[in-house]
Amino acid sequence: MRVDQLAAMRLFVRIVETGSFGRAARALKMSSSNATERMARLEETLGVRLLARTTRALAPTEAGSRYYEVCRRVLNDLDEIEASLTDSREALTGKVRVSANSSVARSILIPRLPQWYAQHPGIHLELVMSDQRSDFVRDNIDFAVRIGGLEDQDLVLRPLGRPRRVTVASPAYLRQMGRPQSLEDLSRHRLIDLLLPQPGTQLEWEFEADGKRSELYPPSVASVSDSDARLQLAIAGMGIVQSLCFIAAPALLEGKLERVLTAWETQAPEVSILYPRDRHLPARIQATMDAFTVWIREALGENRS
């Protein structure tokens, strides 16, 4: 494979990922006219149209999408070969793009990233914080961290553990309103829900005791779409929330929140790492995935009791 063809492939991949000739050209330190000329030669060589251009958008054609996947695999293989030529993992370089649940990213991943960067300054991490399912091809995701099961794609799942659901309130709130002693007591308290994106839907409060599972939909005084913001309302004394152990852990350790109804606590769905089954993982992606695995398992283990 010729060097100029590899350069054209890198350019094409960058155009698809950025959605722009100009941004791709700047990233690769070339002029827009040079980028346009190279893409024209590549399409002429392949005999197919790779990009559909309109006044508003730039996207790969059907043939372009297939070629994009081929280019990514080839370039990833080359990157891994280059990385394997050095004995030092600290020399790993390149971009790793990860999609993660917002709560996992804020509570577990972000606090540990400065130390990770100090060990691997050549890895450029793109952390997409989203609670929505990932389109690995469209969003150019290398791997995802999710709470829950497999997404509607052919993916490999690496299970990391199940967090505990905890029901919490501030000491000031409990002094004022009393501590609930049973699930029935919740109807006499101020509860704060997690607001779901679908209008008219409500997230259930889950409990379990003596092997019996209960799903409640008690009335609430407020609903917030962000789990961390909802926890802040509980710390401020507004009411009771049900959260995940690793999200609430710092406030519990500092005494800003207290657990209630501990006899009814249950486990949430599994936290997992997901990645496409047919995708080869370069060393930089594997190293990042392994680090995230250790961090998440440690965090879930610390908050298991």
Side-chain angles (χ1 to χ4, degrees):
M1 186 176 292
R2 301 185 310 276
V3 174
D4 59 341
Q5 186 176 357
L6 282 174
M9 291 168 66
R10 289 191 186 278
L11 171 62
F12 172 66
V13 167
R14 190 58 64 94
I15 291 172
V16 172
E17 292 176 354
T18 62
S20 165
F21 268 85
R23 285 192 290 270
R26 287 192 295 274
L28 296 175
K29 296 180 172 55
M30 66 174 66
S31 66
S32 294
S33 60
N34 190 3
T36 302
E37 182 181 348
R38 285 195 183 190
M39 280 306 307
R41 287 203 304 267
L42 179 61
E43 289 180 324
E44 183 179 354
T45 300
L46 296 174
V48 295
R49 189 180 182 189
L50 298 175
L51 296 166
R53 306 169 182 83
T54 69
T55 56
R56 292 179 177 270
L58 176 68
T61 62
E62 182 179 350
S65 294
R66 295 199 302 270
Y67 188 62
Y68 170 77
E69 284 301 306
V70 172
C71 289
R72 273 182 55 85
R73 286 196 294 270
V74 170
L75 296 173
N76 283 341
D77 286 345
L78 287 174
D79 289 343
E80 184 174 22
I81 291 171
E82 291 175 359
S84 69
L85 296 177
T86 176
D87 293 329
S88 173
R89 289 179 67 85
E90 282 73 22
L92 293 175
T93 61
K95 183 183 71 174
V96 179
R97 186 170 169 86
V98 183
S99 173
N101 283 96
S102 299
S103 57
V104 175
R106 288 195 182 102
S107 301
I108 300 177
L109 302 180
I110 289 176
R112 293 166 170 82
L113 285 180
Q115 182 179 357
W116 166 253
Y117 177 74
Q119 296 172 348
H120 302 283
I123 293 181
H124 178 84
L125 180 67
E126 294 184 352
L127 183 58
V128 181
M129 297 169 57
S130 173
D131 295 327
Q132 304 302 312
R133 293 185 173 188
S134 304
D135 186 314
F136 285 79
V137 175
R138 183 196 65 203
D139 300 329
N140 192 26
I141 300 297
D142 292 309
F143 68 90
V145 181
R146 285 286 172 265
I147 301 175
L150 279 170
E151 307 184 6
D152 298 330
Q153 300 174 56
D154 188 18
L155 303 173
V156 176
L157 181 148
R158 180 189 292 187
L160 306 180
R162 298 183 65 184
R164 179 172 293 276
R165 287 189 179 90
V166 292
T167 307
V168 296
S170 71
Y173 173 87
L174 295 175
R175 285 194 298 270
Q176 178 187 4
M177 302 297 295
R179 184 180 296 268
Q181 302 297 327
S182 68
L183 302 188
E184 290 75 18
D185 288 347
L186 288 176
S187 61
R188 297 189 289 274
H189 281 269
R190 301 198 301 261
L191 308 182
I192 305 168
D193 267 335
L194 183 66
L195 184 65
L196 299 179
Q198 300 83 7
T201 58
Q202 184 181 2
L203 185 68
E204 67 276 6
W205 291 50
E206 295 192 20
F207 301 92
E208 185 174 356
D210 299 324
K212 183 180 179 181
R213 197 175 187 88
S214 301
E215 295 182 354
L216 306 180
Y217 296 87
S220 59
V221 296
S223 300
V224 185
S225 62
D226 182 84
S227 57
D228 293 300
R230 184 174 61 142
L231 206 68
Q232 290 302 314
L233 288 179
I235 292 172
M238 185 171 178
I240 298 175
V241 305
Q242 189 170 80
S243 184
L244 298 179
C245 56
F246 62 85
I247 302 176
L252 289 169
L253 288 173
E254 295 171 9
K256 296 178 180 179
L257 291 174
E258 295 180 13
R259 287 158 69 172
V260 299
L261 301 173
T262 55
W264 285 270
E265 288 180 355
T266 185
Q267 289 183 314
E270 189 104 38
V271 180
S272 304
I273 282 180
L274 311 172
Y275 59 93
R277 188 174 303 278
D278 61 353
R279 182 170 295 178
H280 180 69
L281 299 177
R284 67 182 184 279
I285 296 175
Q286 187 65 61
T288 309
M289 189 183 300
D290 290 345
F292 282 23
T293 296
V294 171
W295 300 347
I296 294 169
R297 283 178 174 163
E298 284 179 349
L300 298 185
E302 290 169 358
N303 296 284
R304 201 168 284 160
S305 60

